[in-house]
Each structure stands twice: as structure tokens, then as C-alpha cells.
Amino acid sequence: MRRNWILGLFILAMIASACAQRSAGVAGDGTFDPDLIGSNPDEFEDPERSTIWDLFRANTQEQTINVNKYIWAASLDVLQFLPVQTVDPFSGVIVTGFGTPPGGGRAYRATVHITDPALEARALRVALQSRNGPVSAATARAVEDAILSRARQLRIADNNL
């Protein structure tokens, strides 16, 4: 039984090797045969063509996500009682560790994601968690409202109306 499995694997490897050689323009005797590549010699020069290897190439285009500076500053200000673990202003993500708010007895941690440069509620996503699991939607909404209110205060103070 094991011998049949190994023989099947060997045959599969041989077929895959033959297909790879044919697609690369290699004849059965190991020599290069341009007729095996295809009728279009510029087939591999097409800029619109993509392959699986494109996933592994370095991205030559710089992708920048702009975040709203007021929401960013307000998030750090409102959640200042939480220890910051990770901050990435280019993608708009703030990840904190567990901390207890002043006057509170329950520890929370937060993940803030700012997705848009506009000073709008849709640009802010806050995920709160306590040591017992996710918090209620009302609590998360209250933190989002506090951040947005503080962001509006910062914008008014900056006189950018």
C-alpha cells in the first residue's frame, strides 16, 4: 500500500515537472524551444498581467491613510489612563493595555481605529474590553462620544473653523 502511494506521488511530481518545463519553453530533451512558449513573444511583458508572484513583490506605491489629527489627539487625551502599547499614526490605530479609569474599579483596554481624515463619527471605531470580555455597546458608544466631543473642542481651540 505504501509503495503505491509513493509511486503515485512520484508520477504526480513528474507530470508537474513536465508541465513546468513546457510552460517555460523547455523541450523534452532539455533544450529551449521558442515554439513552446506561445505565439506572442511579448506575453510576459504585458504590464496588466499579474501572477501569484506579484503577492511577494515589494509594493512600489506608497499608500498613506490620512487620519484626523483632532480625533487622534482626542483619543490619546480621553484614554490617557490606559497604558499605550502600540501606536501607528500612518494606519490610524491605537492599542492600549489594561488600565482603570479614575474613580472606577473595573479595568479596561481599548483599540481605537481612525479610518478617515474627516471629523465625523464614521471615522472613529473604538473597541473596549474588560478583563471579563467585551463591554456593552453603550459603554463603547459613550467613549466614542467623549472622544468626538474632545476632538471638536480641540478643533475649536485651534481656530480652524
Side-chain angles (χ1 to χ4, degrees), residues 15-26:
I15 292 171
S17 175
C19 290
Q21 286 181 353
R22 178 143 178 92
S23 67
V26 178

Side-chain angles (χ1 to χ4, degrees), residues 25-125:
V26 178
D29 59 354
T31 59
F32 178 74
D33 186 0
D35 293 332
L36 293 177
I37 291 179
S39 60
N40 183 4
D42 297 326
E43 175 183 8
F44 297 106
E45 300 297 325
D46 184 13
E48 297 296 320
R49 182 173 180 226
S50 64
T51 65
I52 187 71
W53 303 112
D54 293 339
L55 295 173
F56 302 106
R57 287 199 184 114
N59 191 0
T60 56
Q61 298 176 349
E62 291 185 26
Q63 294 179 353
T64 306
I65 299 174
N66 295 325
V67 298
N68 186 287
K69 68 179 183 178
Y70 301 112
I71 296 177
W72 182 264
S75 298
L76 292 174
D77 192 27
V78 169
L79 300 173
Q80 68 183 350
F81 65 92
L82 298 175
V84 176
Q85 289 183 338
T86 306
V87 175
D88 187 5
F90 299 108
S91 64
V93 176
I94 302 170
V95 179
T96 68
F98 280 102
T100 306
R106 194 171 178 190
Y108 298 97
R109 73 175 175 185
T111 302
V112 178
H113 189 200
I114 303 167
T115 60
D116 199 300
L119 180 55
E120 297 176 352
R122 66 177 172 84
L124 176 66
R125 293 187 195 137

Side-chain angles (χ1 to χ4, degrees), residues 127-159:
L128 282 177
Q129 183 179 12
S130 69
R131 295 198 189 273
N132 297 330
V135 299
S136 68
T139 305
R141 174 74 48 107
V143 171
E144 287 179 357
D145 290 343
I147 291 172
L148 291 170
S149 295
R150 180 67 182 140
R152 288 184 197 103
Q153 290 172 356
L154 292 172
R155 182 172 180 209
I156 291 169
D158 201 20
N159 292 326

